[in-house]
Amino acid sequence: MARASVVGTGMTDFGVYTKPIAELFADAALPAIDDAGIANDEIDAFYFGNVLGGATTNETHLAPQVASYIGLTPETSVQRYEDACATGSLALKHGVRAVETGDHDVVLVGGAEQCTPKGTGIETSEMTRIFGSGAHKQYEQAPGMTTASVFALHTQRHMHEYGTTEKHLAEVAVKNHYHGSMNSRAQFSEEKTVEEVLDSPIIASPFRLLDCCPFSDGASAVVIVSEDAAESYGVDPIDITGISHQANPVPVADQPNPPSTDMVRRAAQNVYEQADIGPNDVDVAEIHDCFTGAEILALEALGLFEDGQAGPATTEGRTRLDGEMPINPSGGLKAKGHPIGATGTAQIVELTEQLKGESGDRQVEDAKQAIAHNVGGMTATAVVTAMEARA
Amino acid sequence: MARASVVGTGMTDFGVYTKPIAELFADAALPAIDDAGIANDEIDAFYFGNVLGGATTNETHLAPQVASYIGLTPETSVQRYEDACATGSLALKHGVRAVETGDHDVVLVGGAEQCTPKGTGIETSEMTRIFGSGAHKQYEQAPGMTTASVFALHTQRHMHEYGTTEKHLAEVAVKNHYHGSMNSRAQFSEEKTVEEVLDSPIIASPFRLLDCCPFSDGASAVVIVSEDAAESYGVDPIDITGISHQANPVPVADQPNPPSTDMVRRAAQNVYEQADIGPNDVDVAEIHDCFTGAEILALEALGLFEDGQAGPATTEGRTRLDGEMPINPSGGLKAKGHPIGATGTAQIVELTEQLKGESGDRQVEDAKQAIAHNVGGMTATAVVTAMEARA
Amino acid sequence: MSKEFTREDVNDEQSTEALAEMDRLTHEKWEAALEDGSLVGLECEECEYVTATPNAACVHCGDRSVSPVRLPKQGSVYSKTTIEVAPEAQGSGYQIALVDVGDARVLGRITDGERVDIDDEVELSGPYEYDDDLAPLFEPI
Amino acid sequence: MSKEFTREDVNDEQSTEALAEMDRLTHEKWEAALEDGSLVGLECEECEYVTATPNAACVHCGDRSVSPVRLPKQGSVYSKTTIEVAPEAQGSGYQIALVDVGDARVLGRITDGERVDIDDEVELSGPYEYDDDLAPLFEPI
Ligand SMILES: [Zn+2]
Ligand SMILES: [Zn+2]
């Protein structure tokens, strides 16, 4: 019934890296390959996610280069995917399809990205412009929309309709920093208080600096195989029981209410059907919290909380590690970091470890069912993935 | 036996366009959809190729935007592909897989690109840098390798080993300009002489200006369905009988001789097996002639001519429209133009028309079997596609 | 940029019939209208969805029967944000807003120095220019 | 850029054993060697393929048993091209060449003003710098 199984994972610490991107990716890919206990020549295909290389370091067509660096033989089918911040999940979708249909037996899926001013040599204002490249040039970039501000528009409307407050948003940041403090791979290891969040400077109202994920460098990788093949790898496989990719209209003005999460709602419904579960069955979730408001919107769109209830639920601690619905035990994009092409598969790395019970201090108890939620562009693309531990 | 069938095609004239990329793509996509006789809501997936948008116009994540513009409903599965100049063929590969496995019934595959200084607002030296982004930043870009010069290195070695001459190269340009003069969609409509080619200024020796394809803007699109479904579309379907994607090591210094076409040789062998044909069965081919030497190398790597014989064969007219092995009846990248993300599917548009017998003055007589050859990056990726007319 | 869609095509006196006879509404025509103080959108004959920016087909149902319509110059704010960190050429401390103009919604820039809130009434006050593109500029009424 | 791989690590007197004890050959170490006049590559224990640039595993067979080796400073030209149109900062009228250095091949820049042909002997003459990256510079012998 599973569509594919994860048999190996690896990721770098997220932070600042000046090394070439192939070297950065190797630090995620080689551990993932080792974790699966396979040799390089067993890998049939390599799906690589990278978003900004063309604009930041004049590097496109990175897949064959990275493949050569990590020693994948030329017979390996290698390609790059770019779908903004959902890049890693789109690469994963294609990997799942490839092993599910038997087109390939073993697929390495991963991503690497350098977004920090130090990693790219590009200062913040210009990186803000490049980050905004997911927006429609004429109808979104021109009036001045940025990545933060599209989620800000949705969140402002959500606050207006449901009474969500800036304090609710701050509580998301506080919770994710708390989780991140237990994750040695997280970019931020320090806890934050609600006061610190509310005292930080505005980026795009209602979001303040501490409502926003950082610029990050990093890499992540997973090895996937078909459900049947998984047993033969001698490792503890975690099943991917569903993956759904849905789009929203562009530009954002044509996206429907409730605040532009229609594509997430469709993806969630579809993935729950694939996995034969409902939102009540989910034990742990990694959510695309690029901004605190994005987590609030997602929790409702995924059906984990009623519309309008995610803010209060967060304040009540229901999404903390010890709450009824632990969200972003990794620290999320907010505290773990968001090297955009690596984010999708990094969520899968975290959930694989959670479902194997290997997450240490931040382990969610009895985690059997998990979902990952990854958003790309100006709320244009969503991918929701369901994962399950074998009984 | 076919892996997929083409039921609709469309492309713009190649040349110079300043309009937004979604509008440019619509001029290829809407005719393709109309050609297939389908409505927008019958399209299950849309695979869009674009390479340079991030670097040239700060536009990534273009697939949902373009999908919205042409009226694909949000339920459509949309994503962007980027694999340098092989982008369109990689998107096609995924489309073929999707319909072959039944994952999707109808897939729109296409690409759009703006590369001209006028279309992008970027001058030639800077566009040369951006075009070079397919090269390894540290080990290819740093010493000064450009897109022209990687093919120049291979061609110089080929000249050294086999006695290929600058005049042989010029004959490729002359032949493709002759073909292009019969193609109203071609960027260049004028014929050229060997003398004109040899008198044009050096770009990267042995290539002169007229050995090089131009900067181009343009778009192309095809609608593909499964072989079985094709009949129901009430059009004359052309079958895709094979598609093979192979990589070469990166950087180019690690690529094997004969001049770095190993990945093309593997792709050709693989695709001939899939299609159950040999090179002698091929009636017409569209070849990735970004530079004249690239066509020479490809003709040999594809097995259409013996190693070292493609130059003399070209001079003897054997690759002209009325020759035994007509190559690039469209005019090729050389005369038709090379809007890089659109090139892969533009080859499929030409071959579909050839196999339907609808190519007018440049029709290859009795064309039943065709192949397309598309190369990406610094000879890092090749995709070879086999197509067949139904009896 | 040549403007085939001229002042005469889009002024306030232009009949609805003349608008409907335009070829496909392009970005170029949309910008020309904006320069002349008009916001032109598209209405779908099939599902009646109205969009505020050019498309080749209906963004809601995919039908190609979309006809240009003039949108009202006044509208109300659906949502807004004040942006402090932006690409350098955009400045900082400005607002953008999603504005409901008749049956359509459009993303616009708020006049520098002004502040709007959700449900505030605003009026199109001209084009805002960034990187050679024009966007609708609104000011509070 | 910090250079953990120092002059002492890569000078000509350095033993083969010392080279072999390096951790993974990184671009940083490779550049540091180049700055000191050495070209360092990797040899695969499994298939004996020698590459001239850093990798985490053998680019030929995928095996991870790759060890740093010093490549000869002299080599012969496998192929070359003279480039007239290039990114502005690269200049124009320069040559690049694929140079066989021992069992490895590397892409290098030819000293400005010099011209090499296939099979010509060349010698590493130092690093060439472009956009903060270093590349091998060769001159004809
Ligand atoms: Zn409609
Ligand atoms: Zn080896």
Side-chain angles (χ1 to χ4, degrees), chain C residues 43-49 57-63 65-66:
Chain C
E43 180 167 1
C44 176
E45 287 177 25
E46 181 67 25
C47 77
E48 299 186 341
Y49 184 81
C58 176
V59 68
H60 185 69
C61 77
D63 199 275
S65 320
V66 288

Side-chain angles (χ1 to χ4, degrees), chain B residues 120-276:
Chain B
T120 58
I122 295 171
E123 44 88 35
T124 300
S125 156
E126 175 63 6
M127 273 311 296
T128 301
R129 189 185 75 86
I130 292 171
F131 254 71
S133 67
H136 196 298
K137 182 174 193 299
Q138 288 81 31
Y139 310 126
E140 294 179 333
Q141 291 188 47
M145 194 171 93
T146 60
T147 308
S149 62
V150 65
F151 287 95
L153 287 168
H154 302 330
T155 301
Q156 289 280 18
R157 184 73 197 180
H158 193 271
M159 295 166 83
H160 177 78
E161 292 188 16
Y162 299 107
T164 302
T165 65
E166 291 192 21
K167 183 167 177 304
H168 289 149
L169 303 180
E171 292 280 9
V172 174
V174 169
K175 183 261 297 176
N176 287 345
H177 274 277
Y178 164 60
H179 291 173
S181 73
M182 293 178 278
N183 184 355
S184 65
R185 297 181 298 215
Q187 188 163 352
F188 296 131
S189 57
E190 289 193 357
E191 291 195 55
K192 299 289 177 191
T193 65
V194 168
E195 292 66 35
E196 285 175 294
V197 178
L198 294 176
D199 285 348
S200 64
I202 290 282
I203 301 297
S205 67
F207 299 145
R208 296 166 187 280
L209 182 62
L210 289 178
D211 287 292
C212 305
C213 70
F215 288 131
S216 312
D217 307 325
S220 65
V222 300
V223 176
I224 63 172
V225 301
S226 72
E227 182 185 22
D228 291 343
E231 294 292 354
S232 70
Y233 286 87
V235 296
D236 193 12
I238 298 298
D239 291 329
I240 296 175
T241 50
I243 185 163
S244 181
H245 160 217
Q246 300 286 336
N248 237 1
V250 174
V252 63
D254 283 318
Q255 294 175 4
N257 204 37
S260 302
T261 51
D262 190 55
M263 80 299 192
V264 180
R265 289 164 198 266
R266 277 184 273 116
Q269 185 178 354
N270 183 226
V271 87
Y272 291 142
E273 282 168 18
Q274 288 181 41
D276 196 21

Side-chain angles (χ1 to χ4, degrees), chain A residues 3 20-23 47 51-52 54-55 57-65 68-69 74-86 90 93-95 97-98 100-101 103-104 129-139 141 245-251 262 266 376-378 380-381, chain B residues 3 20-23 47 51-52 54-55 57-66 68-69 74-86 90 93-94 97-98 100-101 103-104 129-139 141 245-251 262 266 376-378 380-381:
Chain A
R3 298 193 57 188
I21 200 155
E23 297 186 10
Y47 293 173
V51 181
L52 302 176
T57 52
N58 203 42
E59 293 179 290
T60 58
H61 203 52
L62 279 163
Q65 174 190 142
S68 291
Y69 187 82
E75 289 74 18
T76 316
S77 179
V78 299
Q79 53 235 284
R80 171 202 178 189
Y81 293 84
E82 183 277 312
D83 285 278
C85 302
L90 265 296
K93 178 187 101 164
H94 284 285
R97 181 187 290 170
E100 182 180 38
T101 60
D103 213 345
H104 295 302
R129 188 185 75 87
I130 292 171
F131 253 71
S133 68
H136 196 299
K137 183 174 192 300
Q138 288 80 31
Y139 310 126
Q141 289 188 49
H245 160 216
Q246 300 286 335
N248 237 1
V250 174
D262 191 55
R266 278 184 272 115
M378 299 311 173
T381 295
Chain B
R3 299 193 56 189
I21 200 154
E23 296 185 10
Y47 293 173
V51 181
L52 302 176
T57 52
N58 204 41
E59 293 179 289
T60 57
H61 203 52
L62 280 163
Q65 174 189 140
V66 169
S68 291
Y69 186 82
E75 288 74 18
T76 316
S77 180
V78 299
Q79 54 236 282
R80 171 203 179 189
Y81 293 84
E82 184 278 311
D83 284 278
C85 302
L90 265 296
K93 178 187 100 162
H94 285 284
R97 181 188 290 170
E100 182 179 37
T101 60
D103 212 346
H104 295 303
R129 189 185 75 86
I130 292 171
F131 254 71
S133 67
H136 196 298
K137 182 174 193 299
Q138 288 81 31
Y139 310 126
Q141 291 188 47
H245 160 217
Q246 300 286 336
N248 237 1
V250 174
D262 190 55
R266 277 184 273 116
M378 299 309 172
T381 294

Side-chain angles (χ1 to χ4, degrees), chain A residues 61-356:
Chain A
H61 203 52
L62 279 163
Q65 174 190 142
V66 169
S68 291
Y69 187 82
I70 63 174
L72 300 184
T73 55
E75 289 74 18
T76 316
S77 179
V78 299
Q79 53 235 284
R80 171 202 178 189
Y81 293 84
E82 183 277 312
D83 285 278
C85 302
T87 290
S89 296
L90 265 296
L92 181 68
K93 178 187 101 164
H94 284 285
V96 168
R97 181 187 290 170
V99 299
E100 182 180 38
T101 60
D103 213 345
H104 295 302
D105 294 326
V106 180
V107 182
L108 175 68
V109 183
E113 198 87 42
Q114 284 164 306
C115 306
T116 66
K118 192 165 177 203
T120 58
I122 295 172
E123 43 88 37
T124 300
S125 155
E126 176 62 6
M127 273 310 297
T128 301
R129 188 185 75 87
I130 292 171
F131 253 71
S133 68
H136 196 299
K137 183 174 192 300
Q138 288 80 31
Y139 310 126
E140 293 179 334
Q141 289 188 49
M145 195 171 91
T146 60
T147 308
S149 62
V150 63
F151 288 94
L153 286 168
H154 301 331
T155 301
Q156 288 280 18
R157 185 72 198 181
H158 193 272
M159 295 165 83
H160 177 79
E161 292 189 16
Y162 299 107
T164 302
T165 65
E166 291 192 20
K167 183 166 178 303
H168 290 148
L169 304 180
E171 293 279 9
V172 173
V174 169
K175 183 262 297 175
N176 287 345
H177 274 277
Y178 163 61
H179 291 174
S181 74
M182 293 177 278
N183 183 356
S184 65
R185 298 182 297 218
Q187 189 163 354
F188 296 130
S189 58
E190 289 193 357
E191 291 196 54
K192 298 289 178 192
T193 65
V194 168
E195 292 66 35
E196 285 175 294
V197 178
L198 293 176
D199 284 348
S200 64
I202 290 281
I203 302 297
S205 67
F207 299 144
R208 297 166 186 278
L209 181 62
L210 289 178
D211 287 293
C212 304
C213 69
F215 288 131
S216 311
D217 307 325
S220 66
V222 300
V223 176
I224 63 172
V225 301
S226 71
E227 181 186 23
D228 291 342
E231 294 293 354
S232 71
Y233 286 87
V235 296
D236 192 15
I238 298 298
D239 292 329
I240 295 174
T241 50
I243 184 163
S244 181
H245 160 216
Q246 300 286 335
N248 237 1
V250 174
V252 63
D254 283 318
Q255 294 175 4
N257 205 38
S260 302
T261 51
D262 191 55
M263 81 298 193
V264 179
R265 288 164 198 266
R266 278 184 272 115
Q269 186 178 353
N270 183 225
V271 86
Y272 290 142
E273 282 168 18
Q274 289 180 40
D276 197 21
I277 59 171
N280 291 336
D281 298 314
V282 176
D283 299 313
V284 56
E286 285 284 307
I287 299 293
H288 194 89
D289 61 326
C290 47
F291 305 96
T292 51
E295 178 166 314
I296 299 289
L297 299 177
L299 292 179
E300 297 171 5
L302 292 165
L304 300 175
F305 292 94
E306 296 285 311
D307 282 352
Q309 293 308 305
T314 302
T315 299
E316 291 157 15
R318 294 162 67 188
T319 59
R320 284 170 76 98
L321 195 57
D322 56 359
E324 67 194 69
M325 182 65 260
I327 300 296
N328 279 326
S330 71
L333 284 56
K334 179 69 201 74
K336 182 183 56 185
H338 182 28
I340 55 181
T343 284
T345 38
Q347 292 180 324
I348 304 303
V349 172
E350 175 71 17
L351 293 179
T352 299
E353 293 177 352
Q354 287 284 349
L355 294 173
K356 289 167 97 168

